[in-house]
Every structure is written in C-alpha cells, then in structure tokens.
Coordinates of all heavy atoms in Angstrom, one line a residue:
M1 N -89.5 16.5 35.1 CA -89.9 15.7 34.1 C -89.2 14.5 33.9 O -88.0 14.5 33.9 CB -89.9 16.5 32.7 CG -91.0 17.6 32.6 SD -92.6 16.8 32.5 CE -93.7 18.2 32.5
S2 N -89.9 13.3 33.7 CA -89.2 12.0 33.6 C -88.8 11.8 32.2 O -89.3 12.6 31.2 CB -90.1 10.8 34.0 OG -91.3 10.9 33.2
A3 N -88.0 10.9 31.9 CA -87.4 10.8 30.5 C -88.5 10.3 29.6 O -89.3 9.3 30.0 CB -86.3 9.8 30.5
E4 N -88.6 10.8 28.3 CA -89.4 10.4 27.4 C -89.0 9.2 26.7 O -87.7 8.9 26.8 CB -89.7 11.5 26.3 CG -90.2 12.7 26.8 CD -91.8 12.6 27.0 OE1 -92.5 12.0 26.2 OE2 -92.3 12.9 28.1
P5 N -89.8 8.4 26.1 CA -89.4 7.3 25.3 C -88.5 7.8 24.2 O -88.6 8.9 23.8 CB -90.7 6.7 24.7 CG -91.8 7.1 25.6 CD -91.3 8.5 26.2
A6 N -87.7 6.9 23.7 CA -86.8 7.5 22.6 C -87.4 7.8 21.3 O -87.5 6.9 20.5 CB -85.6 6.3 22.5
R7 N -87.7 9.1 21.1 CA -88.2 9.5 19.9 C -87.6 10.8 19.6 O -88.2 11.7 19.0 CB -89.6 9.4 19.8 CG -90.4 10.1 20.9 CD -91.9 10.3 20.4 NE -92.7 9.1 20.5 CZ -93.7 9.0 21.5 NH1 -93.9 9.9 22.3 NH2 -94.4 7.9 21.6
S8 N -86.5 11.2 20.2 CA -85.9 12.6 20.1 C -85.5 12.9 18.8 O -85.6 14.0 18.3 CB -84.8 12.7 21.0 OG -83.7 11.7 20.8
S9 N -85.2 11.8 17.9 CA -84.7 12.1 16.7 C -85.9 12.5 15.7 O -85.9 13.4 15.0 CB -84.1 10.9 15.9 OG -84.8 9.8 16.0
D10 N -87.1 11.8 16.1 CA -88.3 12.3 15.4 C -88.6 13.7 15.7 O -89.1 14.4 15.0 CB -89.5 11.3 15.8 CG -89.5 9.9 15.1 OD1 -88.5 9.7 14.3 OD2 -90.4 9.2 15.3
C11 N -88.4 14.1 17.1 CA -88.9 15.4 17.4 C -88.0 16.4 16.7 O -88.5 17.5 16.3 CB -88.6 15.5 19.0 SG -90.0 14.6 19.9
S12 N -86.7 16.1 16.7 CA -85.8 17.1 16.0 C -86.1 17.3 14.6 O -86.1 18.4 14.0 CB -84.3 16.8 16.4 OG -83.9 15.5 16.0
E13 N -86.4 16.1 14.0 CA -86.8 16.1 12.5 C -88.0 16.9 12.4 O -88.2 17.8 11.6 CB -86.9 14.8 11.9 CG -87.2 14.9 10.5 CD -87.7 13.6 9.8 OE1 -87.8 12.5 10.7 OE2 -88.1 13.6 8.7
F14 N -89.1 16.7 13.3 CA -90.3 17.4 13.3 C -90.1 18.9 13.3 O -90.6 19.6 12.5 CB -91.3 16.9 14.3 CG -92.6 17.6 14.2 CD1 -93.5 17.2 13.4 CD2 -92.7 18.8 15.0 CE1 -94.8 17.8 13.3 CE2 -94.0 19.5 14.9 CZ -94.9 18.9 14.1
R15 N -89.3 19.3 14.3 CA -89.1 20.7 14.6 C -88.4 21.4 13.4 O -88.7 22.6 13.1 CB -88.4 20.9 15.9 CG -89.4 20.9 17.0 CD -88.8 20.4 18.2 NE -89.9 19.8 19.0 CZ -90.3 20.2 20.3 NH1 -89.9 21.3 20.8 NH2 -91.2 19.5 21.0
M16 N -87.5 20.7 12.7 CA -86.8 21.2 11.5 C -87.9 21.4 10.4 O -87.7 22.3 9.5 CB -85.8 20.3 11.0 CG -84.5 20.5 11.8 SD -83.1 19.7 11.0 CE -83.6 18.0 10.9
R17 N -88.9 20.6 10.4 CA -89.8 20.6 9.2 C -91.2 21.1 9.5 O -92.1 21.2 8.6 CB -89.9 19.1 8.6 CG -88.5 18.5 8.5 CD -88.5 17.2 7.8 NE -88.8 17.5 6.3 CZ -88.7 16.6 5.3 NH1 -88.5 15.3 5.7 NH2 -88.9 16.9 4.2
V18 N -91.4 21.5 10.6 CA -92.7 22.0 11.0 C -93.2 23.1 10.1 O -94.4 23.1 9.7 CB -92.7 22.5 12.5 CG1 -91.9 23.6 12.8 CG2 -94.2 22.8 12.9
F19 N -92.4 24.0 9.6 CA -92.8 25.1 8.8 C -93.2 24.5 7.4 O -94.0 25.0 6.7 CB -91.8 26.1 8.8 CG -91.8 27.1 9.8 CD1 -90.9 27.1 10.9 CD2 -92.9 28.0 10.0 CE1 -91.0 28.0 11.9 CE2 -93.0 28.9 11.2 CZ -92.0 28.8 12.1
E20 N -92.4 23.5 7.0 CA -92.7 22.9 5.7 C -94.1 22.2 5.8 O -94.9 22.2 4.8 CB -91.8 21.9 5.3 CG -90.4 22.4 4.9 CD -89.3 21.3 4.8 OE1 -89.5 20.5 3.9 OE2 -88.4 21.2 5.6
L21 N -94.5 21.7 6.9 CA -95.7 21.1 7.1 C -96.8 22.1 7.0 O -97.8 21.9 6.4 CB -95.8 20.3 8.5 CG -97.0 19.6 8.8 CD1 -97.3 18.5 7.8 CD2 -96.9 19.0 10.3
I22 N -96.6 23.2 7.8 CA -97.6 24.3 7.9 C -97.7 24.9 6.4 O -98.9 25.2 6.0 CB -97.2 25.4 8.9 CG1 -97.2 24.7 10.2 CG2 -98.0 26.7 8.7 CD1 -96.6 25.7 11.3
D23 N -96.7 25.0 5.7 CA -96.8 25.6 4.3 C -97.2 24.6 3.3 O -97.2 24.9 2.2 CB -95.4 26.2 3.9 CG -95.1 27.5 4.8 OD1 -96.1 28.1 5.2 OD2 -94.0 27.8 4.9
S24 N -97.4 23.3 3.7 CA -97.8 22.3 2.8 C -96.9 22.0 1.7 O -97.1 22.0 0.5 CB -99.1 22.6 2.2 OG -100.2 22.9 3.2
E25 N -95.5 22.1 2.0 CA -94.5 21.9 1.1 C -94.1 20.5 1.0 O -93.1 20.2 0.2 CB -93.3 22.8 1.4 CG -93.6 24.3 1.1 CD -92.5 25.2 1.7 OE1 -91.6 24.7 2.2 OE2 -92.7 26.5 1.4
L26 N -94.6 19.7 1.8 CA -94.2 18.2 1.8 C -95.2 17.4 1.0 O -96.3 17.7 0.7 CB -94.3 17.7 3.3 CG -93.4 18.5 4.3 CD1 -93.7 18.0 5.7 CD2 -91.9 18.2 4.0
D27 N -94.6 16.3 0.4 CA -95.5 15.4 -0.2 C -96.3 14.6 0.8 O -96.1 14.6 2.0 CB -94.7 14.4 -1.2 CG -93.8 13.5 -0.4 OD1 -94.2 13.0 0.6 OD2 -92.7 13.2 -0.9
S28 N -97.3 14.0 0.3 CA -98.4 13.5 1.2 C -97.9 12.4 2.2 O -98.4 12.4 3.2 CB -99.6 12.9 0.4 OG -99.3 11.9 -0.5
A29 N -97.0 11.6 1.7 CA -96.3 10.5 2.6 C -95.6 11.3 3.7 O -95.8 10.9 4.9 CB -95.5 9.7 1.8
E30 N -94.8 12.3 3.5 CA -94.0 12.9 4.6 C -95.0 13.6 5.4 O -94.8 13.6 6.7 CB -93.1 13.9 3.9 CG -91.9 13.4 3.2 CD -90.9 12.9 4.2 OE1 -90.2 13.7 4.9 OE2 -91.0 11.7 4.5
C31 N -96.0 14.3 4.9 CA -97.0 15.0 5.7 C -97.6 14.1 6.6 O -97.8 14.4 7.9 CB -97.9 15.6 4.6 SG -99.0 16.8 5.4
E32 N -98.0 13.0 6.2 CA -98.7 11.9 7.1 C -97.9 11.4 8.1 O -98.2 11.2 9.2 CB -99.2 10.8 6.2 CG -100.7 10.6 6.2 CD -101.1 9.6 5.1 OE1 -100.7 8.4 5.1 OE2 -101.8 9.9 4.1
R33 N -96.6 11.2 7.8 CA -95.6 10.8 8.8 C -95.5 11.8 9.9 O -95.4 11.4 11.0 CB -94.3 10.4 8.1 CG -93.4 9.5 8.8 CD -92.3 8.9 8.0 NE -91.5 10.1 7.3 CZ -90.4 10.6 8.1 NH1 -90.0 10.1 9.3 NH2 -89.6 11.6 7.5
L34 N -95.3 13.1 9.6 CA -95.2 14.2 10.6 C -96.4 14.3 11.3 O -96.4 14.4 12.6 CB -94.8 15.5 9.9 CG -93.4 15.4 9.4 CD1 -93.1 16.7 8.7 CD2 -92.3 15.1 10.3
R35 N -97.6 14.2 10.7 CA -98.9 14.4 11.4 C -99.1 13.1 12.4 O -99.6 13.3 13.5 CB -100.0 14.3 10.4 CG -100.1 15.7 9.8 CD -101.4 15.9 8.9 NE -101.4 17.1 8.2 CZ -101.7 18.3 8.7 NH1 -102.0 18.4 10.0 NH2 -101.7 19.3 8.1
A36 N -98.6 12.0 12.0 CA -98.8 10.7 12.9 C -97.8 11.0 14.2 O -98.2 10.7 15.3 CB -98.2 9.6 12.2
H37 N -96.7 11.7 13.9 CA -95.8 12.0 15.1 C -96.5 13.0 16.0 O -96.5 13.0 17.2 CB -94.5 12.6 14.6 CG -93.6 13.0 15.8 ND1 -92.9 12.1 16.5 CD2 -93.3 14.3 16.3 CE1 -92.1 12.7 17.4 NE2 -92.5 14.1 17.4
L38 N -97.2 14.0 15.4 CA -98.0 15.0 16.1 C -99.0 14.4 17.0 O -99.1 14.8 18.1 CB -98.8 15.9 15.1 CG -98.0 17.2 14.6 CD1 -99.1 18.0 13.9 CD2 -97.6 18.0 15.8
D39 N -99.7 13.4 16.5 CA -100.8 12.7 17.3 C -100.3 12.0 18.5 O -101.0 12.0 19.5 CB -101.4 11.5 16.4 CG -102.3 12.1 15.4 OD1 -102.7 13.3 15.5 OD2 -102.8 11.5 14.4
E40 N -99.0 11.6 18.6 CA -98.4 10.8 19.7 C -97.5 11.7 20.6 O -97.0 11.2 21.5 CB -97.9 9.5 19.3 CG -96.7 9.7 18.4 CD -96.2 8.3 18.0 OE1 -97.0 7.4 17.8 OE2 -95.0 8.1 17.6
C41 N -97.2 12.9 20.1 CA -96.3 13.7 20.8 C -96.8 15.0 21.2 O -96.9 16.0 20.3 CB -95.0 13.7 19.9 SG -93.6 14.6 20.8
G42 N -97.1 15.2 22.5 CA -97.6 16.5 22.9 C -96.9 17.7 22.8 O -97.3 18.7 22.2
P43 N -95.4 17.6 23.1 CA -94.6 18.8 23.0 C -94.6 19.2 21.4 O -94.6 20.3 21.3 CB -93.3 18.2 23.5 CG -93.6 17.1 24.4 CD -94.9 16.5 23.9
C44 N -94.6 18.3 20.5 CA -94.5 18.7 19.1 C -95.8 19.3 18.7 O -95.9 20.2 17.8 CB -94.1 17.6 18.2 SG -92.2 17.2 18.4
M45 N -96.9 18.7 19.2 CA -98.2 19.3 18.9 C -98.2 20.8 19.4 O -98.8 21.6 18.7 CB -99.3 18.4 19.6 CG -100.7 19.0 19.4 SD -101.2 19.2 17.6 CE -102.0 17.7 17.4
E46 N -97.8 21.1 20.6 CA -97.7 22.5 21.1 C -96.8 23.3 20.3 O -97.2 24.5 19.9 CB -97.2 22.5 22.5 CG -98.2 22.0 23.5 CD -97.5 22.2 25.0 OE1 -96.6 22.9 25.2 OE2 -98.0 21.4 25.8
E47 N -95.7 22.9 19.8 CA -94.8 23.6 18.9 C -95.6 23.8 17.6 O -95.5 25.0 17.1 CB -93.6 22.7 18.7 CG -92.6 23.2 17.7 CD -91.6 24.1 18.3 OE1 -91.5 24.1 19.6 OE2 -90.8 24.8 17.6
Y48 N -96.2 22.8 17.0 CA -97.0 23.0 15.8 C -98.0 24.1 15.9 O -98.1 25.0 15.1 CB -97.5 21.6 15.4 CG -98.4 21.6 14.2 CD1 -97.8 21.8 13.0 CD2 -99.8 21.6 14.3 CE1 -98.7 21.8 11.8 CE2 -100.7 21.5 13.2 CZ -100.1 21.8 11.9 OH -100.9 21.8 10.9
E49 N -98.8 23.9 17.0 CA -99.9 25.0 17.2 C -99.4 26.3 17.4 O -99.9 27.3 16.7 CB -100.8 24.4 18.4 CG -101.6 23.3 18.1 CD -102.4 22.8 19.2 OE1 -102.2 23.2 20.4 OE2 -103.4 22.1 19.0
R50 N -98.3 26.6 18.0 CA -97.7 27.8 18.2 C -97.2 28.3 16.8 O -97.5 29.5 16.5 CB -96.5 27.7 19.1 CG -96.8 28.3 20.5 CD -95.5 28.7 21.3 NE -94.4 27.7 21.2 CZ -94.3 26.6 22.1 NH1 -95.2 26.5 23.1 NH2 -93.3 25.8 22.0
D51 N -96.5 27.5 16.1 CA -96.1 28.0 14.8 C -97.1 28.2 13.8 O -97.0 29.2 13.1 CB -95.1 27.0 14.2 CG -93.8 26.8 15.0 OD1 -93.5 27.8 15.8 OD2 -93.0 25.8 14.8
L52 N -98.2 27.6 14.0 CA -99.4 27.7 13.2 C -100.0 29.1 13.5 O -100.3 29.9 12.5 CB -100.5 26.6 13.5 CG -101.4 26.3 12.3 CD1 -100.7 25.8 11.0 CD2 -102.3 25.2 12.8
V53 N -100.1 29.3 14.8 CA -100.7 30.7 15.1 C -99.7 31.8 14.8 O -100.2 32.8 14.2 CB -100.9 30.7 16.7 CG1 -101.4 32.2 17.1 CG2 -102.1 29.7 17.1
L54 N -98.5 31.7 15.0 CA -97.4 32.6 14.6 C -97.6 32.9 13.1 O -97.7 34.2 12.7 CB -96.1 32.2 14.9 CG -94.9 33.1 14.5 CD1 -95.0 34.4 15.3 CD2 -93.6 32.4 14.8
K55 N -97.7 31.9 12.4 CA -97.7 32.0 10.9 C -98.9 32.8 10.4 O -98.9 33.7 9.6 CB -97.7 30.5 10.3 CG -97.5 30.6 8.8 CD -96.0 30.3 8.6 CE -95.7 30.3 7.0 NZ -94.4 30.4 6.7
A56 N -100.1 32.5 11.0 CA -101.3 33.1 10.7 C -101.3 34.6 11.1 O -101.7 35.4 10.2 CB -102.5 32.4 11.4
L57 N -100.8 34.9 12.2 CA -100.7 36.2 12.6 C -99.8 37.1 11.8 O -100.0 38.2 11.4 CB -100.2 36.3 14.1 CG -101.2 35.8 15.1 CD1 -100.6 35.7 16.5 CD2 -102.4 36.8 15.2
V58 N -98.6 36.4 11.4 CA -97.6 37.2 10.5 C -98.1 37.5 9.3 O -98.0 38.5 8.7 CB -96.4 36.4 10.6 CG1 -95.4 36.9 9.5 CG2 -95.6 36.4 12.0
R59 N -98.8 36.5 8.8 CA -99.4 36.6 7.3 C -100.4 37.7 7.4 O -100.5 38.5 6.4 CB -100.0 35.2 7.0 CG -100.5 35.2 5.5 CD -101.0 33.8 5.1 NE -99.8 32.8 5.1 CZ -100.0 31.5 5.1 NH1 -101.2 31.0 5.2 NH2 -98.9 30.6 5.0
R60 N -101.3 37.7 8.4 CA -102.4 38.7 8.4 C -101.7 40.1 8.6 O -102.1 41.0 8.0 CB -103.3 38.3 9.6 CG -104.6 39.1 9.5 CD -105.5 38.9 10.8 NE -105.5 37.5 11.1 CZ -105.9 37.1 12.4 NH1 -106.2 38.0 13.3 NH2 -105.8 35.9 12.8
S61 N -100.8 40.2 9.5 CA -100.3 41.5 9.8 C -99.3 42.0 8.6 O -99.2 43.2 8.5 CB -99.6 41.5 11.1 OG -98.5 40.6 11.1
C62 N -98.8 41.1 7.8 CA -97.9 41.5 6.7 C -98.5 41.6 5.3 O -98.0 41.8 4.4 CB -96.8 40.4 6.5 SG -95.6 40.4 8.0
A63 N -99.9 41.6 5.4 CA -100.7 41.6 4.2 C -100.2 42.8 3.4 O -100.2 42.8 2.2 CB -102.1 41.6 4.4
C64 N -100.2 43.9 4.1 CA -100.0 45.3 3.2 C -98.7 46.1 3.7 O -98.4 46.9 3.0 CB -101.2 46.1 3.3 SG -101.8 46.3 4.9
Q65 N -98.2 45.7 4.8 CA -96.9 46.3 5.2 C -96.1 45.5 6.0 O -96.5 44.5 6.6 CB -97.4 47.6 6.0 CG -98.1 47.1 7.3 CD -98.4 48.4 8.1 OE1 -98.4 49.5 7.6 NE2 -98.8 48.2 9.3
P66 N -94.8 45.8 6.1 CA -93.9 44.9 6.9 C -94.2 45.2 8.4 O -94.6 46.2 8.8 CB -92.5 45.6 6.7 CG -92.6 46.6 5.5 CD -94.0 46.8 5.4
A67 N -94.1 44.0 9.2 CA -94.5 44.2 10.6 C -93.5 45.0 11.4 O -92.3 44.7 11.4 CB -94.5 42.8 11.2
P68 N -93.9 46.1 11.9 CA -92.9 46.8 12.8 C -92.7 46.1 14.0 O -93.4 45.1 14.6 CB -93.7 48.1 13.1 CG -95.1 47.8 12.9 CD -95.3 46.7 12.0
R69 N -91.6 46.5 14.7 CA -91.1 45.8 15.9 C -92.2 45.7 17.0 O -92.4 44.7 17.6 CB -90.0 46.5 16.5 CG -89.4 46.0 17.7 CD -88.1 46.7 18.0 NE -87.0 46.5 17.1 CZ -85.9 45.9 17.5 NH1 -85.8 45.4 18.7 NH2 -84.9 45.6 16.6
T70 N -93.0 46.8 17.2 CA -94.0 46.7 18.3 C -95.1 45.6 17.9 O -95.5 45.0 18.9 CB -94.8 48.1 18.3 OG1 -95.1 48.5 17.1 CG2 -93.8 49.1 19.0
L71 N -95.4 45.6 16.7 CA -96.4 44.5 16.3 C -95.9 43.1 16.6 O -96.6 42.3 17.0 CB -96.8 44.7 14.8 CG -97.9 43.8 14.2 CD1 -99.1 43.9 15.0 CD2 -98.1 44.0 12.8
R72 N -94.6 43.0 16.3 CA -94.1 41.7 16.5 C -94.1 41.3 18.1 O -94.4 40.2 18.4 CB -92.6 41.7 16.0 CG -92.1 40.2 15.7 CD -91.0 40.2 14.7 NE -89.8 40.8 15.3 CZ -88.6 41.1 14.7 NH1 -88.5 40.8 13.4 NH2 -87.6 41.5 15.3
M73 N -93.9 42.4 18.9 CA -94.0 42.2 20.3 C -95.3 41.8 20.7 O -95.5 40.8 21.5 CB -93.6 43.4 21.0 CG -92.2 44.0 20.7 SD -90.9 43.0 21.7 CE -91.0 43.9 23.2
Q74 N -96.3 42.3 20.1 CA -97.8 42.1 20.3 C -98.0 40.6 20.0 O -98.7 39.8 20.6 CB -98.6 43.1 19.7 CG -98.8 44.5 20.2 CD -99.6 45.4 19.4 OE1 -100.1 44.9 18.3 NE2 -99.5 46.6 19.7
I75 N -97.5 40.2 18.8 CA -97.6 38.9 18.4 C -97.0 37.9 19.3 O -97.7 36.9 19.7 CB -97.2 38.6 16.9 CG1 -98.0 39.5 15.9 CG2 -97.0 37.2 16.6 CD1 -97.3 39.6 14.5
M76 N -95.8 38.2 19.8 CA -95.2 37.3 20.7 C -96.1 37.3 22.1 O -96.2 36.1 22.5 CB -93.7 37.8 21.1 CG -92.8 37.7 19.9 SD -92.8 36.1 19.1 CE -92.0 35.0 20.2
A77 N -96.6 38.3 22.4 CA -97.4 38.3 23.6 C -98.7 37.5 23.5 O -99.0 36.8 24.3 CB -97.7 39.7 24.0
T78 N -99.2 37.6 22.3 CA -100.4 36.8 21.9 C -100.1 35.4 22.1 O -100.9 34.5 22.5 CB -100.9 37.3 20.6 OG1 -101.2 38.7 20.5 CG2 -102.2 36.6 20.2
I79 N -99.0 35.1 21.4 CA -98.7 33.6 21.4 C -98.5 33.1 22.8 O -98.9 32.0 23.1 CB -97.3 33.4 20.6 CG1 -97.7 33.7 19.2 CG2 -96.8 32.0 20.8 CD1 -96.5 33.8 18.2
M80 N -97.9 33.9 23.7 CA -97.6 33.4 25.1 C -98.9 33.2 25.8 O -99.1 32.2 26.5 CB -96.7 34.4 25.8 CG -95.2 34.2 25.3 SD -94.2 35.6 25.9 CE -94.0 35.1 27.6
T81 N -99.8 34.1 25.5 CA -101.3 34.0 26.2 C -101.9 32.8 25.6 O -102.5 32.0 26.3 CB -102.1 35.2 25.7 OG1 -101.4 36.4 26.1 CG2 -103.4 35.2 26.4
F82 N -101.7 32.5 24.3 CA -102.3 31.4 23.6 C -101.8 30.0 24.4 O -102.5 29.2 24.6 CB -102.0 31.4 22.2 CG -102.4 30.1 21.4 CD1 -103.8 30.0 21.0 CD2 -101.5 29.1 21.1 CE1 -104.2 28.8 20.4 CE2 -101.9 27.9 20.4 CZ -103.2 27.8 20.1
T83 N -100.5 30.0 24.5 CA -99.9 29.0 25.1 C -100.4 28.6 26.5 O -100.7 27.6 26.9 CB -98.3 29.0 25.2 OG1 -97.9 29.4 23.9 CG2 -97.6 27.8 25.7
V84 N -100.6 29.7 27.3 CA -101.0 29.6 28.6 C -102.5 29.0 28.7 O -102.8 28.2 29.5 CB -101.0 31.0 29.4 CG1 -101.7 30.9 30.7 CG2 -99.4 31.3 29.6
E85 N -103.3 29.5 27.8 CA -104.6 29.0 27.6 C -104.7 27.5 27.3 O -105.4 26.8 27.9 CB -105.4 29.9 26.5 CG -105.8 31.2 27.1 CD -106.4 32.0 25.9 OE1 -106.5 31.5 24.8 OE2 -106.8 33.2 26.2
V86 N -103.8 27.2 26.4 CA -103.7 25.8 26.0 C -103.4 24.8 27.2 O -104.0 23.8 27.6 CB -102.8 25.6 24.8 CG1 -102.6 24.0 24.7 CG2 -103.5 26.2 23.6
R87 N -102.3 25.3 27.9 CA -101.8 24.7 29.1 C -103.0 24.5 30.1 O -103.2 23.5 30.7 CB -100.6 25.3 29.7 CG -99.4 25.2 28.8 CD -98.3 24.4 29.5 NE -97.3 24.1 28.4 CZ -96.3 24.8 28.0 NH1 -96.1 26.1 28.6 NH2 -95.4 24.4 27.1
G88 N -103.7 25.6 30.4 CA -104.7 25.8 31.3 C -105.9 24.7 31.0 O -106.3 24.0 31.9
E89 N -106.2 24.7 29.8 CA -107.2 23.7 29.3 C -106.8 22.3 29.6 O -107.5 21.5 30.1 CB -107.6 23.8 27.9 CG -108.5 25.0 27.6 CD -108.6 25.5 26.2 OE1 -108.4 24.5 25.3 OE2 -108.8 26.6 25.8
Q90 N -105.6 22.0 29.4 CA -105.0 20.7 29.5 C -105.1 20.4 31.0 O -105.4 19.3 31.5 CB -103.6 20.5 28.9 CG -103.7 20.3 27.4 CD -102.3 20.4 26.8 OE1 -101.4 20.8 27.4 NE2 -102.2 20.1 25.6
D91 N -104.7 21.3 31.9 CA -104.7 21.1 33.3 C -106.1 20.7 33.8 O -106.3 19.9 34.6 CB -104.1 22.2 33.9 CG -102.6 22.3 33.8 OD1 -102.0 21.3 33.3 OD2 -102.1 23.3 34.1
A92 N -107.0 21.5 33.3 CA -108.5 21.4 33.7 C -109.0 20.1 33.4 O -109.8 19.4 34.0 CB -109.3 22.6 33.2
G93 N -108.5 19.6 32.1 CA -109.2 18.3 31.5 C -108.5 17.3 32.3 O -108.8 16.1 32.3
Ligands
LIG1 ZN1 -92.1 15.0 19.1

C-alpha cells in the first residue's frame, strides 16, 4: 500500500469517536464533521460499517440475556464474512 495523504490524525480521532457517532452522542456539527471524513476515507468507512454491524448484532443478541462466549464468536465470524462481502463487491465494481 502506498502512503495515504496526511489525514492520520483525522483517522485516529474518527476511530476514537466512531461509537459516539453510532450512538448519536455527538452534537450535529461534530457528527457532520465525522461523516464528512467518512465520505472521503474508505478505511474509516469500513471501520464504521463494521462497528455499526457489531453494535446492531450485540444489541439484538443482548436484548434479553448476556451474550455467551459462543454467541460472541458467531458475531465475530459474521462480521468477518460481512467484511469479505464488502471487499468482494468493491473488487467487482
Ligand atoms: Zn479516516
């Protein structure tokens, strides 16, 4: 991989705050700023989508009981499959 343009500080900030974005804990200006970064940064978009899926799966599976270890393994496997699918689509396009 070649060197990316200098936006690593944006990326590290984004990754620290991605869960706040998903949980809508940011004010609208912050939210917009991070979403703007998402639009122009593929790796962060992947990170965001993965966290979004993880969050949704965990929320669903934790609705009535704590997630047992096996369930967490299944979730991780699902996320890896999801990531592969996303990558595959990008390669095809
Ligand atoms: Zn980024």
